[in-house]
Amino acid sequence: MPAFKVIVVGAGPVGLVAGHCLTHAGIEFEILERRDDFDLNAGASTALWPDNVRVLDQLGLLDEARTLRIPYHSKICIRSDGSQISRSRMLAAVEELHGHPWMLFHRGELVDLLRRRLPESSTRIHTGKVVQSIQTNDKGITVTCADDTTHTGSMILGVDGVNSTIRRLIASQPTVPAAQKPSNTTPRPPPMKSSYVGLYGHSAYIPGAMEEGCFYETHARDMTFQVGVAAPTDKCYFACFKRLPHPTTAQHTFTDSEKDAFAASLADVHATTSLTFRELYARAQWSHMAYIEEGVATSPWSSDRIVLAGDAAHKMTPNAGLGLNCGIQSVVVLVNQLRWLLVQKPDSEPGEEALMGVFRAYEAERRKPAAEMVKLSATAMRAPAWRNRVWRFVDQYVLPRIGGDMLVLRYVFAMVVREGVPLDFLEERAFKEGTNGVRVVLINEFTVTGVVPV
Ligand SMILES: Cc1cc2nc3c(=O)[nH]c(=O)nc-3n(C[C@H](O)[C@H](O)[C@H](O)COP(=O)(O)OP(=O)(O)OC[C@H]3O[C@@H](n4cnc5c(N)ncnc54)[C@H](O)[C@@H]3O)c2cc1C
């Protein structure tokens, strides 16, 4: 393998998964992260669907992930007064369909796993590095950070989140390989739009107020809650989403008093059958309020030696738990193709044209499924938030009678999961296909031989 090096910008979960994939692909990399430290208490819960559980297995992380997983079996949908709309064993059924379960984690614990288990993480992850500008030339790239340090490599993977600096740099000068520095005069790509605002976090577990292993979803006009109970970790995770009067592209950091006022406006809404949000929020151990952007970057995902993945490229509403899953899938596809390029010519570094070929092929493969996941996530947000009278009626009186959640799982989510792509150069030690079948990639010494549906 040539001395090819990827500069990964952003050590969010997608950037960390990219680090693991690159390690296994034998591709050198370093990760630059804006924050000074990892806040492992931060975040609500984060679920991985079975296609990405397969990736954890390939990366050798599955055994430990199993010890961190918060097991769920049932989903209970309620109204704002706590009365039950429906109950299903949807979450248990995921494992029957796909072999692997739906694995839900405290986000901080998942990030910690990814960070801790990354080989040579202390020399490969650099915190306190706010990437500000990039210079590209025939041989590679140089990244300059706010502290005036520079880092050189062969390409950049921009996984710096929804308000991505790297996306802005790509969009501002899509084809000119010259010094690129964001400034007030640099044209910006349109930021992604938010139609909802969210308050999410975790609270102390309240014995007796919730059923263990159950995931509650409150359905009400223009709002929806999700609450997961995690007795083994003494926590419960919550996320409340409310429709904004008007969609916005504003970027705003909500203050604690704005957050508390928002929580007060939802205080009487039930988060579980017997618990109001007031009682849950009063016990919050960490919470955060943010606009919930959605969309796929309209600008190209790559330019010169720079490419995007994760929320920087595609951002979705969280109800269906697909955002990180989509980001991992993008990284898997990108690393598969990058490794294939590098193993074909092991003695020479690929030029810019060859890299752009890989980036374009990657975008061509990922743009459509990412857009579909954005759409699916949008529906998963809007349907329980009763966007119109039809949804309000269907959700309360039709879907419960026909097993709506199970149907949506079997005929919508299962299709997405089934199409999931694993790394094409690593074995799956705990391979499972469930009743739904999975995509299988044949592996031999060097060669990707294609995707074979079972
Ligand atoms: C309440 C909630 C629940 C969710 N639940 C799920 C779920 O169950 N399943 C799921 O799949 N998804 C879920 N998501 C979505 C998921 O959290 C995101 O899709 C995921 O975090 C995206 O990861 P990322 O690494 O692309 O971006 P981020 O997590 O945003 O990380 C980007 C990183 O880049 C760093 N950075 C930014 N700018 C710079 C810079 N200039 N220089 C250096 N570093 C920089 C940031 O500090 C950050 O660490 C949920 C989201 C929310 C809000």
Side-chain angles (χ1 to χ4, degrees):
M1 201 74 79
F4 184 87
K5 184 174 172 190
V6 181
I7 304 285
V8 179
V9 179
V14 177
L16 292 170
V17 169
H20 283 272
C21 295
L22 291 167
T23 302
H24 284 270
I27 302 172
E28 197 42 65
F29 68 94
E30 58 184 306
I31 304 181
L32 306 178
E33 166 56 41
R34 175 180 63 181
R35 292 168 206 250
D36 292 328
D37 220 336
F38 288 86
D39 179 359
L40 301 177
N41 189 41
S45 58
T46 300
L48 293 186
W49 286 85
D51 48 341
N52 289 312
V53 175
R54 293 175 71 190
V55 177
L56 283 187
D57 177 27
Q58 291 188 300
L59 298 175
L61 300 172
L62 184 55
D63 287 345
E64 192 173 347
R66 283 184 176 132
T67 67
L68 302 174
R69 173 195 172 208
I70 305 157
Y72 284 98
H73 48 77
S74 298
K75 181 176 172 200
I76 301 177
C77 299
I78 60 172
R79 298 179 186 84
S80 57
D81 63 1
S83 59
Q84 185 172 305
I85 299 173
S86 64
R87 179 182 183 123
S88 75
R89 286 187 60 81
M90 175 189 185
L91 302 175
V94 172
E95 187 164 359
E96 290 151 28
L97 280 170
H98 300 288
H100 288 294
W102 186 77
M103 292 183 94
L104 193 117
F105 306 93
H106 176 3
R107 181 188 162 101
E109 290 189 354
L110 179 62
V111 166
D112 186 44
L113 169 73
L114 295 169
R115 181 196 59 119
R116 230 176 346 92
R117 295 283 301 276
L118 186 69
E120 299 170 43
S121 64
S122 59
T123 53
R124 280 171 153 167
I125 303 177
H126 308 287
T127 51
K129 300 289 175 190
V130 185
V131 171
Q132 282 197 321
S133 67
I134 301 167
Q135 287 192 313
T136 60
N137 59 44
D138 293 352
K139 296 270 179 288
I141 47 100
T142 301
V143 167
T144 305
C145 300
D147 62 0
D148 276 341
T149 54
T150 57
H151 300 258
T152 55
S154 314
M155 61 165 276
I156 290 173
L157 171 57
V159 278
D160 52 343
V162 64
N163 297 315
S164 167
T165 301
I166 305 302
R167 187 175 76 231
R168 182 148 52 93
L169 291 172
I170 289 178
S172 61
Q173 294 192 5
T175 53
V176 185
Q180 304 178 8
K181 186 150 190 154
S183 70
N184 291 339
T185 56
T186 304
R188 287 162 180 255
M192 291 182 190
K193 205 184 268 182
S194 306
S195 297
Y196 288 83
V197 62
L199 170 59
Y200 46 88
H202 53 84
S203 292
Y205 177 57
I206 306 171
M210 315 163 195
E211 224 181 296
E212 226 177 280
C214 289
F215 197 81
Y216 294 85
E217 192 170 72
T218 306
H219 297 197
R221 180 70 205 246
D222 285 340
M223 73 170 79
T224 170
F225 284 17
Q226 289 185 324
V227 175
V229 182
T233 57
D234 268 354
K235 283 193 193 310
C236 63
Y237 299 91
F238 63 83
C240 320
F241 304 105
K242 199 170 181 181
R243 191 174 177 84
L244 292 163
H246 306 286
T248 180
T249 53
Q251 292 171 21
H252 177 65
T253 305
F254 288 90
T255 62
D256 281 349
S257 50
E258 284 174 306
K259 193 173 69 171
D260 291 343
F262 184 68
S265 76
L266 304 170
D268 293 326
V269 177
H270 272 249
T272 74
T273 39
S274 58
L275 190 78
T276 60
F277 186 61
R278 176 185 288 105
E279 296 161 273
L280 199 60
Y281 189 67
R283 291 165 177 79
Q285 297 168 333
W286 182 91
S287 63
H288 183 70
M289 182 173 174
Y291 285 134
I292 306 294
E293 302 88 350
E294 46 192 329
V296 177
T298 48
S299 48
W301 292 3
S302 64
S303 161
D304 305 332
R305 292 171 173 270
I306 313 168
V307 66
L308 299 174
D311 279 8
H314 39 65
K315 172 75 168 57
M316 51 208 80
T317 50
N319 286 49
L322 288 175
L324 170 58
N325 283 273
C326 187
I328 295 175
Q329 283 291 298
S330 290
V331 160
V332 164
V333 169
L334 178 67
V335 174
N336 279 346
Q337 297 191 7
L338 196 56
R339 178 183 172 279
W340 179 227
L341 175 74
L342 296 177
V343 294
Q344 282 182 96
K345 289 191 180 167
D347 299 323
S348 62
E349 272 218 34
E352 193 186 312
E353 209 170 300
L355 275 178
M356 280 307 289
V358 163
F359 295 166
R360 286 197 200 99
Y362 149 73
E363 182 174 342
E365 189 169 339
R366 288 300 300 155
R367 192 172 264 280
K368 187 161 174 265
E372 281 166 1
M373 286 193 205
V374 170
K375 235 192 234 176
L376 175 54
S377 300
T379 308
M381 173 72 92
R382 285 158 177 81
W386 295 345
R387 215 22 231 134
N388 55 45
R389 282 185 192 175
V390 176
W391 265 118
R392 188 182 180 135
F393 179 79
V394 170
D395 184 52
Q396 292 184 89
Y397 305 109
V398 179
L399 292 180
R401 283 178 175 71
I402 59 170
D405 275 330
M406 295 298 274
L407 289 177
V408 169
L409 172 65
R410 189 172 292 277
Y411 296 108
V412 182
F413 288 107
M415 297 301 137
V416 174
V417 174
R418 187 190 154 98
E419 289 306 308
V421 177
L423 291 158
D424 61 16
F425 53 92
L426 292 177
E427 303 284 352
E428 293 179 62
R429 278 174 289 183
F431 177 77
K432 292 176 178 170
E433 55 183 330
T435 54
N436 199 39
V438 293
R439 272 160 63 117
V440 177
V441 174
L442 303 180
I443 299 170
N444 62 34
E445 195 185 358
F446 271 155
T447 323
V448 181
T449 50
V451 176
V452 183
V454 281

